[in-house]
Structures are given as structure tokens and as C-alpha cells.
Amino acid sequence: MRLFLDTANIDHIRHGVKLGVITGVTTNPSLVSKEGKVDYKHLVQEICSIVPGPVSTEVLSQDVSGMVAEARQIATWAENVVVKIPASLEGVEATHQLAKENIKVNFTLCFSLNQALLGALAGAAFVSPFVGRLDDIGEHGMRLVKEIVEVFKKYPDSIKTQLIAASIRHPQHCIEAAEAGAQIATVPYQVLMQMIRHPLTDIGISRFLEDWHKVMGEGKSI
Ligand code: E4P
């Protein structure tokens, strides 16, 4: 399983990559807007230069020709850029056109197995089921991840699309995405920070140091 960071914040991306656990990034118009009134192309190019793997960034058009035109432009920004196309009917057609041009698509805003299937069949490199947003309306977001993983697994010859578990809200989502067999989970920075924390680890570190210093003397290191 791989971990991506779901943010457009440069400091957070630098930190995640430095930790050695973040191999990709996903952004969306809301996340980019959080960074203020930025130069979109410049920001995406900077992210792409920091991150070793795919960086997904979204089109704004909703019609096929607009999406395709924007995607073609975005695809020239960096080698590792991936274009996010929404899971609409127009999005399916745009994905198909872009896949024929070898432009990598992340089929985003997926809320059903059928949407994920159509994205995969149209040639998307990634599909992104939004777990948290399904939970928000009383559905079981992770169940969708499991379903997609199971169905894609049945067709290894025809479906090469990877699943990105998205809209991750807490560390338990990461555990469940890993258990479900998601190839990737894209996590907010705050969730990444929460993933490493455990009170027993903090207590354990303090206790080891206390015991050491009691015998070896205060401030004595290795
Ligand atoms: C994924 O690609 C999206 O950017 C993201 O996960 C959306 O998450 P949200 O539902 O927390 O906005």
C-alpha cells in the first residue's frame, strides 16, 4: 500500500516526503483555494518537483471539450502530473479521450461501484472513492472501497486501474483502507500526524530515559 498526501500545502508536502512515507499528492480546487490566491500552474509544478510520484490536480470545466483541453494543458506542466476528472458522464468520455492520448487520469468524486467501473473501463489510471463524504450522509464509505477492490481483482487482465481511498478523515480509515486492499490512501496532513501517535509510545520513551538517567546519571547520553 502507498500513502499520498491530500493537500496543496508546500510545507506539509515537504515534511511528508522527508519522512519517506509520502509518494504522491492529491489536490482539488478546494485544497488549492486554502493556500490563498495562488498561481495554479506554478503551485502544481512546485508540488510535482518535491514529490517522487503522481500529483493529481483537477480540471474546472464540466463539458467534455473543456475538460480535455484543460487536461492537455495540465499534462504539460510536469512529468508526474495526473489529471483529476470528475465521475460524470462527460467525465467518462473525457477520460476515454485522455487515456488514448496517454494522459493519466484520476477519476475523482466516485461514490458508487458503477462510477468506479466506468472510470476504469474508460481508461483511468486511478479511481478515487470518497470514503468520508459517504460516511457523512450515513452510508458506509469503506464498504465501497472493499467492493471496488474485490471487483477490480476479478479482472486483472482488463482492469489496470489503481484505487485511491480518498476523503480520509481519521487514522481508522487508513487501517481499514489497508485491510480492504486499497493500493493507495490519500490522507490529510493532520491524519498523517495522528497515524504515528500512541500514548504508550510516549510513556515508554519517558520511562526508558528515566530508568537510564537514574543509573547512568542526569544528562548522560550514549
Ligand atoms: C481526494 O482526491 C480529494 O481531494 C479528497 O480526499 C477530498 O476529501 P474531503 O471529502 O475531506 O474534502
Side-chain angles (χ1 to χ4, degrees), residues 5-202:
L5 214 49
D6 195 29
T7 183
N9 183 279
I10 295 291
D11 292 339
H12 290 169
I13 292 169
R14 278 194 204 287
H15 188 207
V17 170
K18 196 165 150 206
L19 290 173
V21 294
I22 295 299
T23 53
V25 159
T26 51
T27 71
N28 62 43
S30 304
L31 292 172
V32 171
S33 304
K34 266 197 194 168
E35 301 311 304
K37 203 168 176 195
V38 291
D39 177 336
Y40 188 30
K41 176 180 172 181
H42 183 261
L43 179 68
V44 171
Q45 285 180 324
E46 190 173 0
I47 297 172
C48 287
S49 71
I50 300 166
V51 181
V55 173
S56 292
T57 201
E58 197 151 343
V59 294
L60 296 171
S61 291
Q62 286 160 42
D63 59 303
V64 178
S65 58
M67 284 195 264
V68 169
E70 283 182 20
R72 284 183 183 139
Q73 233 182 300
I74 291 171
T76 66
W77 292 353
E79 286 272 311
N80 52 339
V81 84
V82 172
V83 184
K84 265 184 165 180
I85 300 284
S88 60
L89 193 58
E90 293 79 7
V92 174
E93 192 178 329
T95 298
H96 174 58
Q97 281 199 34
L98 295 166
K100 280 196 291 187
E101 296 174 29
N102 288 321
I103 293 176
K104 282 199 172 144
V105 169
N106 175 350
F107 201 64
T108 190
L109 287 166
C110 270
F111 294 98
S112 74
L113 176 55
N114 277 332
Q115 287 179 318
L117 259 178
L118 291 177
L121 295 176
F126 304 96
V127 293
S128 293
F130 275 35
V131 176
R133 291 193 196 189
L134 279 170
D135 291 353
D136 289 346
I137 59 157
E139 292 194 26
H140 194 322
M142 205 50 76
R143 194 174 296 150
L144 174 62
V145 170
K146 283 187 199 140
E147 284 170 3
I148 299 172
V149 168
E150 287 310 313
V151 170
F152 281 12
K153 231 195 277 175
K154 291 183 201 282
Y155 305 98
D157 295 334
S158 54
I159 297 184
K160 306 286 178 202
T161 309
Q162 297 200 1
L163 184 148
I164 304 179
S167 189
I168 295 290
R169 298 282 167 75
H170 45 72
Q172 189 58 30
H173 271 158
C174 299
I175 292 171
E176 290 169 15
E179 286 172 347
Q183 283 105 341
I184 301 151
T186 187
V187 300
Y189 181 74
Q190 179 214 345
V191 173
L192 176 65
M193 294 300 107
Q194 289 171 334
M195 284 171 76
I196 191 65
R197 297 306 300 268
H198 197 289
L200 289 180
T201 305
D202 299 337

